[in-house]
Short mmCIF file of all heavy atoms in Angstrom, two decimals:
data_model
loop_
_atom_site.label_atom_id
_atom_site.label_comp_id
_atom_site.label_asym_id
_atom_site.label_seq_id
_atom_site.Cartn_x
_atom_site.Cartn_y
_atom_site.Cartn_z
N LEU A 251 18.42 84.54 82.95
CA LEU A 251 19.69 84.12 82.34
C LEU A 251 20.66 83.60 83.41
O LEU A 251 21.36 82.60 83.19
CB LEU A 251 20.33 85.27 81.56
CG LEU A 251 19.71 85.59 80.20
CD1 LEU A 251 20.45 86.76 79.55
CD2 LEU A 251 19.74 84.38 79.27
N ALA A 252 20.73 84.27 84.55
CA ALA A 252 21.66 83.85 85.61
C ALA A 252 21.32 82.43 86.06
O ALA A 252 22.22 81.60 86.27
CB ALA A 252 21.62 84.81 86.78
N ALA A 253 20.03 82.13 86.19
CA ALA A 253 19.63 80.80 86.64
C ALA A 253 20.06 79.74 85.64
O ALA A 253 20.40 78.61 86.00
CB ALA A 253 18.11 80.75 86.86
N GLU A 254 20.06 80.10 84.34
CA GLU A 254 20.41 79.13 83.28
C GLU A 254 21.92 79.02 83.08
O GLU A 254 22.41 78.04 82.53
CB GLU A 254 19.77 79.55 81.95
CG GLU A 254 18.26 79.55 81.96
CD GLU A 254 17.67 78.14 82.10
OE1 GLU A 254 18.20 77.22 81.44
OE2 GLU A 254 16.71 77.98 82.86
N LEU A 255 22.67 80.10 83.47
CA LEU A 255 24.11 80.13 83.19
C LEU A 255 24.92 80.06 84.49
O LEU A 255 25.80 80.90 84.75
CB LEU A 255 24.46 81.37 82.37
CG LEU A 255 23.88 81.39 80.95
CD1 LEU A 255 24.06 82.75 80.29
CD2 LEU A 255 24.52 80.30 80.09
N ASP A 256 24.64 79.09 85.29
CA ASP A 256 25.41 78.77 86.50
C ASP A 256 25.58 79.96 87.44
O ASP A 256 26.63 80.12 88.07
CB ASP A 256 26.80 78.23 86.11
CG ASP A 256 26.70 77.13 85.06
OD1 ASP A 256 25.73 76.37 85.13
OD2 ASP A 256 27.58 77.07 84.18
N GLY A 257 24.60 80.84 87.50
CA GLY A 257 24.67 81.95 88.44
C GLY A 257 25.63 83.07 88.03
O GLY A 257 25.96 83.93 88.85
N ALA A 258 26.09 83.05 86.78
CA ALA A 258 27.01 84.11 86.33
C ALA A 258 26.33 85.47 86.45
O ALA A 258 25.12 85.59 86.26
CB ALA A 258 27.41 83.86 84.87
N PRO A 259 27.12 86.52 86.76
CA PRO A 259 26.52 87.86 86.83
C PRO A 259 26.06 88.32 85.45
O PRO A 259 26.80 88.19 84.47
CB PRO A 259 27.64 88.74 87.37
CG PRO A 259 28.89 87.96 87.20
CD PRO A 259 28.53 86.51 87.11
N VAL A 260 24.84 88.82 85.35
CA VAL A 260 24.26 89.24 84.08
C VAL A 260 23.97 90.74 84.14
O VAL A 260 23.42 91.22 85.14
CB VAL A 260 22.94 88.48 83.80
CG1 VAL A 260 22.30 88.95 82.49
CG2 VAL A 260 23.19 86.97 83.76
N TYR A 261 24.36 91.46 83.08
CA TYR A 261 24.16 92.90 83.03
C TYR A 261 23.27 93.24 81.84
O TYR A 261 23.59 92.86 80.71
CB TYR A 261 25.52 93.61 82.93
CG TYR A 261 26.40 93.25 84.10
CD1 TYR A 261 27.30 92.18 84.01
CD2 TYR A 261 26.30 93.94 85.30
CE1 TYR A 261 28.09 91.82 85.10
CE2 TYR A 261 27.08 93.58 86.39
CZ TYR A 261 27.97 92.53 86.28
OH TYR A 261 28.74 92.16 87.36
N VAL A 262 22.17 93.91 82.12
CA VAL A 262 21.15 94.16 81.09
C VAL A 262 21.23 95.60 80.60
O VAL A 262 21.21 96.54 81.39
CB VAL A 262 19.74 93.87 81.66
CG1 VAL A 262 18.67 94.17 80.62
CG2 VAL A 262 19.65 92.42 82.12
N HIS A 263 21.37 95.75 79.29
CA HIS A 263 21.49 97.07 78.67
C HIS A 263 20.55 97.17 77.48
O HIS A 263 20.14 96.16 76.92
CB HIS A 263 22.92 97.29 78.17
CG HIS A 263 23.91 97.49 79.27
ND1 HIS A 263 24.20 98.72 79.79
CD2 HIS A 263 24.68 96.61 79.93
CE1 HIS A 263 25.09 98.59 80.75
NE2 HIS A 263 25.42 97.32 80.85
N ASN A 264 20.28 98.42 77.07
CA ASN A 264 19.53 98.58 75.82
C ASN A 264 20.51 98.68 74.65
O ASN A 264 21.74 98.80 74.83
CB ASN A 264 18.55 99.75 75.88
CG ASN A 264 19.22 101.10 75.92
OD1 ASN A 264 20.32 101.27 75.40
ND2 ASN A 264 18.57 102.07 76.53
N ALA A 265 19.97 98.62 73.44
CA ALA A 265 20.83 98.55 72.26
C ALA A 265 21.67 99.82 72.08
O ALA A 265 22.81 99.75 71.64
CB ALA A 265 19.95 98.31 71.02
N GLY A 266 21.11 100.97 72.44
CA GLY A 266 21.85 102.22 72.30
C GLY A 266 23.09 102.26 73.19
O GLY A 266 24.17 102.69 72.77
N GLN A 267 22.92 101.78 74.42
CA GLN A 267 24.07 101.75 75.34
C GLN A 267 25.14 100.81 74.83
O GLN A 267 26.34 101.12 74.86
CB GLN A 267 23.59 101.31 76.73
CG GLN A 267 22.66 102.31 77.39
CD GLN A 267 21.91 101.73 78.58
OE1 GLN A 267 21.83 100.51 78.75
NE2 GLN A 267 21.34 102.60 79.40
N ALA A 268 24.72 99.65 74.35
CA ALA A 268 25.68 98.66 73.84
C ALA A 268 26.41 99.20 72.61
O ALA A 268 27.63 99.08 72.50
CB ALA A 268 24.95 97.36 73.50
N ALA A 269 25.65 99.81 71.70
CA ALA A 269 26.29 100.34 70.49
C ALA A 269 27.26 101.47 70.85
O ALA A 269 28.32 101.61 70.22
CB ALA A 269 25.21 100.84 69.52
N ALA A 270 26.93 102.25 71.87
CA ALA A 270 27.82 103.34 72.28
C ALA A 270 29.17 102.79 72.73
O ALA A 270 30.24 103.28 72.31
CB ALA A 270 27.17 104.15 73.41
N VAL A 271 29.14 101.75 73.56
CA VAL A 271 30.38 101.17 74.07
C VAL A 271 31.19 100.54 72.92
O VAL A 271 32.41 100.72 72.81
CB VAL A 271 30.08 100.12 75.17
CG1 VAL A 271 31.31 99.30 75.51
CG2 VAL A 271 29.54 100.83 76.41
N ALA A 272 30.50 99.83 72.03
CA ALA A 272 31.20 99.17 70.92
C ALA A 272 31.81 100.19 69.97
O ALA A 272 32.97 100.06 69.57
CB ALA A 272 30.24 98.25 70.17
N GLU A 273 31.04 101.22 69.61
CA GLU A 273 31.59 102.23 68.70
C GLU A 273 32.76 102.97 69.35
O GLU A 273 33.73 103.31 68.69
CB GLU A 273 30.51 103.23 68.27
CG GLU A 273 29.41 102.64 67.38
CD GLU A 273 29.88 102.31 65.97
OE1 GLU A 273 30.99 102.69 65.58
OE2 GLU A 273 29.11 101.63 65.24
N ASN A 274 32.65 103.20 70.67
CA ASN A 274 33.72 103.92 71.35
C ASN A 274 35.02 103.12 71.32
O ASN A 274 36.08 103.67 71.04
CB ASN A 274 33.31 104.21 72.80
CG ASN A 274 34.37 105.00 73.55
OD1 ASN A 274 34.85 106.01 73.06
ND2 ASN A 274 34.76 104.52 74.72
N LEU A 275 34.93 101.83 71.58
CA LEU A 275 36.15 101.02 71.72
C LEU A 275 36.66 100.47 70.39
O LEU A 275 37.86 100.28 70.21
CB LEU A 275 35.91 99.87 72.69
CG LEU A 275 35.67 100.29 74.15
CD1 LEU A 275 35.32 99.08 75.00
CD2 LEU A 275 36.90 101.00 74.71
N GLU A 276 35.73 100.19 69.45
CA GLU A 276 36.16 99.47 68.24
C GLU A 276 35.70 100.11 66.95
O GLU A 276 36.00 99.61 65.87
CB GLU A 276 35.62 98.02 68.30
CG GLU A 276 36.11 97.25 69.51
CD GLU A 276 35.57 95.82 69.56
OE1 GLU A 276 34.59 95.53 68.86
OE2 GLU A 276 36.17 95.00 70.28
N GLY A 277 34.92 101.18 67.03
CA GLY A 277 34.34 101.73 65.80
C GLY A 277 34.59 103.21 65.62
O GLY A 277 35.72 103.69 65.79
N ALA A 278 33.53 103.95 65.31
CA ALA A 278 33.66 105.35 64.94
C ALA A 278 34.13 106.25 66.09
O ALA A 278 34.59 107.36 65.86
CB ALA A 278 32.31 105.86 64.42
N GLY A 279 34.00 105.75 67.32
CA GLY A 279 34.32 106.58 68.48
C GLY A 279 35.80 106.79 68.71
O GLY A 279 36.21 107.80 69.27
N GLU A 280 36.62 105.85 68.26
CA GLU A 280 38.07 105.92 68.45
C GLU A 280 38.42 106.30 69.89
O GLU A 280 39.27 107.16 70.14
CB GLU A 280 38.68 106.92 67.46
CG GLU A 280 38.55 106.45 66.01
CD GLU A 280 38.99 107.53 65.02
OE1 GLU A 280 39.90 108.30 65.38
OE2 GLU A 280 38.41 107.59 63.93
N ARG A 281 37.77 105.67 70.81
CA ARG A 281 38.04 105.87 72.25
C ARG A 281 37.92 107.31 72.68
O ARG A 281 38.74 107.85 73.42
CB ARG A 281 39.42 105.31 72.61
CG ARG A 281 39.47 103.82 72.42
CD ARG A 281 40.80 103.19 72.77
NE ARG A 281 40.74 101.76 72.54
CZ ARG A 281 40.64 100.86 73.52
NH1 ARG A 281 40.63 101.23 74.77
NH2 ARG A 281 40.56 99.57 73.23
N ALA A 282 36.85 107.97 72.21
CA ALA A 282 36.61 109.35 72.59
C ALA A 282 36.32 109.46 74.09
O ALA A 282 36.59 110.48 74.70
CB ALA A 282 35.44 109.92 71.80
N GLY A 283 35.77 108.40 74.68
CA GLY A 283 35.47 108.43 76.12
C GLY A 283 34.15 109.11 76.42
O GLY A 283 33.21 108.48 76.88
N ASP A 284 34.06 110.42 76.13
CA ASP A 284 32.79 111.13 76.32
C ASP A 284 32.07 111.13 74.98
O ASP A 284 32.37 111.95 74.10
CB ASP A 284 33.03 112.56 76.81
CG ASP A 284 33.59 112.57 78.23
OD1 ASP A 284 33.44 111.54 78.93
OD2 ASP A 284 34.16 113.59 78.63
N LEU A 285 31.15 110.22 74.83
CA LEU A 285 30.52 109.98 73.53
C LEU A 285 29.02 109.78 73.70
O LEU A 285 28.57 109.20 74.68
CB LEU A 285 31.17 108.72 72.93
CG LEU A 285 30.65 108.15 71.61
CD1 LEU A 285 31.80 107.49 70.86
CD2 LEU A 285 29.54 107.13 71.82
N ALA A 286 28.25 110.32 72.76
CA ALA A 286 26.81 110.08 72.76
C ALA A 286 26.46 109.34 71.49
O ALA A 286 26.87 109.75 70.39
CB ALA A 286 26.05 111.38 72.85
N LEU A 287 25.75 108.24 71.62
CA LEU A 287 25.32 107.50 70.44
C LEU A 287 23.82 107.66 70.28
O LEU A 287 23.04 107.35 71.18
CB LEU A 287 25.68 106.02 70.56
CG LEU A 287 25.37 105.27 69.24
CD1 LEU A 287 26.56 104.47 68.80
CD2 LEU A 287 24.12 104.43 69.34
N LEU A 288 23.46 108.21 69.13
CA LEU A 288 22.05 108.39 68.81
C LEU A 288 21.61 107.12 68.09
O LEU A 288 22.11 106.81 67.00
CB LEU A 288 21.93 109.61 67.89
CG LEU A 288 20.53 110.11 67.55
CD1 LEU A 288 19.76 110.48 68.80
CD2 LEU A 288 20.64 111.33 66.63
N TYR A 289 20.71 106.36 68.73
CA TYR A 289 20.34 105.05 68.21
C TYR A 289 18.99 105.13 67.53
O TYR A 289 17.95 105.24 68.18
CB TYR A 289 20.31 104.03 69.35
CG TYR A 289 20.23 102.61 68.87
CD1 TYR A 289 21.37 101.94 68.45
CD2 TYR A 289 19.02 101.95 68.82
CE1 TYR A 289 21.30 100.63 68.01
CE2 TYR A 289 18.95 100.63 68.38
CZ TYR A 289 20.09 99.99 67.97
OH TYR A 289 20.02 98.70 67.53
N ALA A 290 19.01 105.12 66.21
CA ALA A 290 17.78 105.32 65.44
C ALA A 290 17.49 104.09 64.61
O ALA A 290 18.24 103.74 63.69
CB ALA A 290 17.92 106.54 64.54
N GLY A 291 16.41 103.43 64.94
CA GLY A 291 16.00 102.24 64.19
C GLY A 291 14.50 102.14 64.27
O GLY A 291 13.79 103.08 63.93
N THR A 292 14.02 100.99 64.78
CA THR A 292 12.58 100.85 65.01
C THR A 292 12.13 101.84 66.08
O THR A 292 11.03 102.35 66.05
CB THR A 292 12.27 99.41 65.45
OG1 THR A 292 12.89 98.53 64.51
CG2 THR A 292 10.78 99.16 65.46
N GLY A 293 13.02 102.12 67.02
CA GLY A 293 12.76 103.14 68.04
C GLY A 293 13.88 104.18 68.00
O GLY A 293 14.75 104.14 67.13
#
Side-chain angles (χ1 to χ4, degrees):
L251 284 180
E254 297 293 318
L255 294 170
D256 311 324
V260 178
Y261 302 92
V262 178
H263 288 271
N264 69 28
Q267 294 165 343
V271 168
E273 292 289 350
N274 182 50
L275 293 175
E276 300 180 343
E280 294 173 32
R281 296 180 180 255
D284 292 341
L285 176 149
L287 187 129
L288 187 59
Y289 192 81
T292 309

